[in-house]
Amino acid sequence: MHIVTNCDKIDLSSENKTEELANKILKKLKLGDIVFLYGEMGVGKTTFVKYLINSIQKENKLDLTEVTSPTFNLLNEYQINQTKINHYDLFRLKSIEELKNLDLFEDRSSTITLIEWPQLIKKKPKNLIELTFDYEDDHTKRYVKIKGLDL
């Protein structure tokens, strides 16, 4: 079980820093974990997911795949050896009823679930890690705050 923490801001002002954070978090992730990614459009949620998935592929000596936001199809699935990664984007959903058909938290024993725009989910699942991406005042710097994972 993860220790719930609220960490200070972690600077993500470059893609290198985003990749470094993805690698650090990857070392702590376990099958069954769910990661909520909060933040406005363009702040780096999908870029973080790309580096996370590509890092798992590199570790398994697999070709890197293109990782895009599943805004229109709601879910992109990645099978990496025995690990399945479900990457959801709930931006277009407008009601809790629409969530019910997605089976977000069904049979997670061999899955890591990444959910962008999770605001509609009221009942927080176990093994939850929350990443909140944001800009500094001038929008030239980005950062993330992490809850539910001790780095």
Side-chain angles (χ1 to χ4, degrees), residues 12 69 132:
L12 295 180
S69 179
T132 303

Side-chain angles (χ1 to χ4, degrees), residues 3-63:
I3 300 168
V4 176
T5 61
N6 286 313
C7 75
D8 294 329
K9 295 178 187 179
I10 297 172
D11 179 35
L12 295 180
S13 294
S14 72
E15 284 207 31
N16 286 341
K17 290 180 180 185
T18 303
E19 184 175 14
E20 287 172 13
L21 178 65
N23 289 328
K24 281 183 186 177
I25 288 178
L26 175 60
K27 290 176 183 160
K28 302 278 187 162
L29 278 180
K30 297 175 179 54
L31 294 177
D33 282 347
I34 297 169
V35 180
F36 283 3
L37 298 108
Y38 298 94
E40 62 187 270
M41 222 175 270
V43 77
K45 299 180 300 293
T46 303
T47 300
F48 170 83
V49 169
K50 173 185 83 167
Y51 284 121
L52 188 76
I53 290 170
N54 286 167
S55 292
I56 297 170
Q57 291 168 329
K58 283 179 194 175
E59 278 187 0
N60 287 278
K61 297 177 175 48
L62 299 171
D63 290 336

